[in-house]
Amino acid sequence: MHIWLPVDRLVRLATTIALPACVIAWASAPVEAGLLGKMVSGAAGKGGKKTYDANTLAPPMLRQCLLTAHKIDVASAELDAKKLKLASDREVLMREAKKIKDSGRATEKNVADYRAKEKSFNDSVDAFNSKVNGTKAVQKVFNQDCAGKRYYDSDMNAVLAELPPDVRRAAEQQKH
């Protein structure tokens, strides 16, 4: 049997939505080192009579764990990309605010334009935070149901063959 160790990376988020002090921190490993790769790599149990208990994943649950791991990996990659975009957008917005302030000619129009961009940015941060919270909830369920559980090598091979093509490809690419 293979013992799959608990997830060592957790979703972390620190945000302050109002500008200019917005701080966004999202810690995750690259997809190559994602949860799916951790599940499919390494040696697993061989031969013998299969016995399933609370700490051994039966094929249906193993399948669900693999799908969930892939979902978390994809969400992590998307959040990493969005975090970079938000950081860039924040810098642009801060430069624009400084330009308006330094010009000494803050008109109603350019202030209104800036406020609209600021609101749009803050809405994007809210959407990002919502996605992070959703990913954290999925990861919590994964940690409870999948992390630290064993599985049989033959079950893993059978389940991998039945996964959707995109998940199977990702698992095969990450398998060590």
Side-chain angles (χ1 to χ4, degrees):
M1 288 192 168
H2 175 70
I3 298 176
W4 192 65
L5 299 175
V7 177
D8 64 343
R9 89 180 142 82
L10 297 175
V11 177
R12 291 180 290 163
L13 177 71
T15 59
T16 304
I17 297 173
L19 285 176
C22 178
V23 178
I24 302 167
W26 167 257
S28 67
V31 172
E32 301 87 68
L35 296 177
L36 185 61
K38 290 178 184 178
M39 284 199 74
V40 298
S41 64
K46 312 265 190 249
K49 182 181 178 201
K50 293 181 182 180
T51 307
Y52 298 98
D53 58 24
N55 291 315
T56 306
L57 297 172
M61 190 62 187
L62 179 57
R63 182 181 196 284
Q64 187 58 47
C65 289
L66 291 169
L67 291 171
T68 302
H70 181 67
K71 180 179 180 178
I72 292 168
D73 289 346
V74 169
S76 294
E78 290 171 358
L79 287 168
D80 286 343
K82 183 64 175 172
K83 178 194 73 170
L84 293 174
K85 174 144 179 24
L86 285 173
S88 173
D89 291 350
R90 179 181 177 271
E91 289 301 316
V92 168
L93 202 54
M94 291 184 69
R95 280 194 302 271
E96 188 172 330
K98 184 175 178 358
K99 183 179 171 184
I100 291 170
K101 182 181 174 190
D102 291 350
S103 74
R105 294 183 296 236
T107 66
E108 279 186 45
K109 181 181 176 353
N110 62 14
V111 170
D113 289 346
Y114 173 81
R115 294 283 182 223
K117 290 175 186 173
E118 181 181 49
K119 181 182 180 336
S120 176
F121 173 79
N122 288 338
D123 290 346
S124 295
V125 170
D126 288 344
F128 176 83
N129 290 342
S130 180
K131 177 99 175 172
V132 167
N133 289 334
T135 302
K136 285 172 66 174
V138 171
Q139 190 153 8
K140 182 178 179 182
V141 170
F142 178 88
N143 288 342
Q144 292 170 342
D145 295 345
C146 305
K149 306 289 174 119
R150 300 176 297 243
Y151 58 82
Y152 289 96
D153 189 37
S154 58
D155 291 344
M156 176 63 80
N157 292 333
V159 168
L160 284 173
E162 297 172 358
L163 290 174
D166 61 325
V167 180
R168 187 174 347 127
R169 271 191 305 277
E172 289 168 358
Q173 289 173 352
Q174 295 181 40
K175 204 171 189 179
H176 295 125

